[in-house]
Amino acid sequence: MAVRSFPRTRNKPQKRILLIPFILMFGGWAMTFIQILQFIGSIIALTGALTTFLVGAVFADLWAAERRTRQMIEARRAEGQETQVEDIETHDIKDPFEETYDEE
């Protein structure tokens, strides 16, 4: 079994992931109104606040990489150069960060 550090895909990054921190924040905030769940609710709300920065940074990185790649492809097309669109699965590229585990 191979574990890949980052999936290879050509799809645009999904914007649904940006909802996770807000769900955590508002869910935790709503829990603070219930006497028994106040402590857990505050922990969940703070987790949502911290997750906002993490998810935002990851999404911004994915969005910038996808945008840069799209701009490079459009620039090559404008210059008349042919852009090679290769199927990712056809090439056996060795990933230096890929870990393999032997199942015994």
Side-chain angles (χ1 to χ4, degrees):
M1 177 170 73
V3 178
R4 189 164 264 134
S5 59
F6 194 78
R8 296 177 185 171
T9 182
R10 292 184 184 179
N11 301 333
K12 290 183 179 181
Q14 297 288 326
K15 293 184 181 173
R16 288 181 292 174
I17 196 170
L18 297 175
L19 293 175
I20 294 172
F22 295 107
I23 292 170
L24 286 173
M25 281 192 293
F26 290 121
W29 175 74
M31 289 173 70
T32 58
F33 291 113
I34 302 171
Q35 182 69 27
I36 298 171
L37 301 175
Q38 283 182 347
F39 180 72
I40 296 171
S42 62
I43 298 293
I44 291 174
L46 288 173
T47 302
L50 292 175
T51 307
T52 302
F53 298 107
L54 177 65
V55 170
V58 169
F59 184 80
D61 187 40
L62 290 174
W63 178 74
E66 186 270 335
R67 187 170 158 245
R68 194 171 343 149
T69 304
R70 190 171 10 106
Q71 287 176 349
M72 284 175 38
I73 290 172
E74 289 173 2
R76 287 183 183 174
R77 285 185 184 153
E79 292 176 2
Q81 297 177 354
E82 186 172 317
T83 304
Q84 296 178 354
V85 180
E86 301 170 352
D87 191 15
I88 295 172
E89 301 299 327
T90 59
H91 296 294
D92 189 22
I93 301 170
K94 186 67 177 167
D95 188 2
F97 300 108
E98 183 176 345
E99 299 176 13
T100 57
Y101 297 103
D102 295 327
E103 294 182 21
E104 297 177 20

